[in-house]
Amino acid sequence: MTAPIGFFDSGIGGLSVWRAGVRLLPGEHTVYYADSAYCPYGAKEPDEIVARCVFIVDFLLQHHCKLIVAACNTATSAAIDYLRAHYAVPFVGMEPAVKPAALHSLSGVVGVLATRGTFKGRLYHETRAQFAADVQIIEQPGDGLVELAEAGQTNSQQASLLLQQYIQPMLDAGADHLVLGCTHYPLFIPLITRIAGHRLTIIDPAPAVAHQIKSLLAEHHLLNTSGERARHEFFSSGKHGMLKDE
Ligand code: DGL
């Protein structure tokens, strides 16, 4: 089926998922929506996030998307149940990859970096209870990181100070895995690697999500087998200067 796959996020973070999807499925057309005017979602009330997701899903359906990827952990946490209950199109969501981290941790200590909204969600708590009951989880809200990523400051002094502050306690507690529970955070992987060296294995769920997109497309007989050259369209709700000049 030649219709596109829709991706959305509060901003550019979901591009980490989009890129993994496009690598695995190079024949698929895509439409990406960045809700930049309403970014960040992290500290917003769930109802407000649901309303934004409904607006975006309607937009993506007007663009004939055959499957929609909520390429945002915070949006998934607040809205995926509502979206699945109200729309017929298949959805793929994101949740912090606590399961593989807990399975592979040798020290039994795992760090999770996510937004406050994601930590509050049912999905995260269920996954943690189901798959990580036997490991120590260190939860760290990544306050300020989304704003820095949107401003292109992923290698700045400010980012370095924040990440040092967030990651050092995990290292001190003996964590050997770090779960990136927000799709903006892979943009900081070079900086995180500089801070943690080889002491932390970083888990970015994007490749696993790409495989899930492929399976769901196959299951619904929606894969594009036309052999056409893939088209990629990008939309945003607006320009948002989140970082004020000091
Ligand atoms: N990329 C979003 C996520 O995965 C960022 C949330 C935000 O806008 O605060 O959670």
Side-chain angles (χ1 to χ4, degrees), residues 7-15 32-42 44 48 52-53 55-56 59 72 146-147 149-151 184 234-244:
F7 291 79
F8 74 92
D9 178 43
S10 63
I12 59 170
L15 289 171
Y32 185 94
Y33 191 95
D35 200 13
S36 317
Y38 292 83
C39 186
Y41 281 178
K44 287 193 167 49
E48 193 182 347
R52 288 309 303 157
C53 291
F55 173 85
I56 296 165
F59 177 92
C72 175
V146 167
E147 290 87 335
E150 290 287 325
H184 281 74
F234 298 89
F235 297 89
S236 163
S237 52
K239 209 162 177 283
H240 191 54
M242 284 193 302
L243 287 186
K244 310 254 177 304

Side-chain angles (χ1 to χ4, degrees), residues 3 43 51 59 77 80 91 108 130 133 146 148 155 211 225:
F59 177 92
S77 168
I80 203 80
F91 287 95
Q130 194 177 351
V146 167
L148 287 168
N155 204 12
H211 282 281
T225 51

Side-chain angles (χ1 to χ4, degrees), residues 98 107-114 119 124 128 132 135-141 165-179 200:
V98 171
S107 67
V109 185
V110 166
V112 182
L113 197 57
F119 280 130
Y124 171 71
R128 182 183 166 161
V135 298
Q136 182 190 346
I137 300 279
I138 302 178
E139 293 177 0
Q140 175 62 59
Q165 185 188 321
Y166 295 160
I167 287 167
Q168 194 57 50
M170 298 178 185
L171 294 171
D172 292 344
D176 60 358
H177 282 69
L178 171 63
V179 177
L200 282 179

